[in-house]
Amino acid sequence: MKQKNIIQRTGKRQLKVHQKYISRSYHRYVVFPEIRLCGKWLQGIGFDCGQFVTVLLEENKIIITVSNETEIEE
């Protein structure tokens, strides 16, 4: 069981990029890419409900880390 827990904390997840349809007044709808993250594995790696996260964007890479901030920066 200890080995399985280590794999979950440092493992790799493959997720599908979905289509999200948003209706707009100037157009019938617009399609955006959407990535859905949910599951107990998020808690296992340190993401808890109510926490804020920081998203760092790089080419072909998204890095999401738990933020120590108590409010969202604008």
Side-chain angles (χ1 to χ4, degrees):
M1 186 64 153
K2 188 176 182 180
Q3 181 66 24
K4 185 178 179 183
N5 202 14
I6 291 170
I7 291 170
Q8 288 177 345
R9 288 178 183 271
T10 61
K12 180 193 274 189
R13 295 277 171 171
Q14 287 192 302
L15 304 169
K16 183 177 181 178
V17 178
H18 294 270
Q19 294 177 339
K20 178 144 187 152
Y21 297 90
I22 308 284
S23 59
R24 298 283 195 225
S25 59
Y26 60 86
H27 195 354
R28 191 174 206 158
Y29 62 86
V30 180
V31 180
F32 293 103
E34 176 183 61
I35 300 171
R36 301 173 191 161
L37 298 172
C38 71
K40 288 184 177 182
W41 63 274
L42 287 169
Q43 277 185 317
I45 60 170
F47 291 85
D48 291 317
C49 297
Q51 289 179 314
F52 290 96
V53 296
T54 301
V55 180
L56 177 63
L57 308 173
E58 296 179 8
E59 190 170 336
N60 294 316
K61 186 187 284 190
I62 299 171
I63 301 170
I64 304 171
T65 55
V66 174
S67 176
N68 294 330
E69 304 297 321
T70 56
E71 294 183 9
I72 297 176
E73 296 177 15
E74 292 191 31

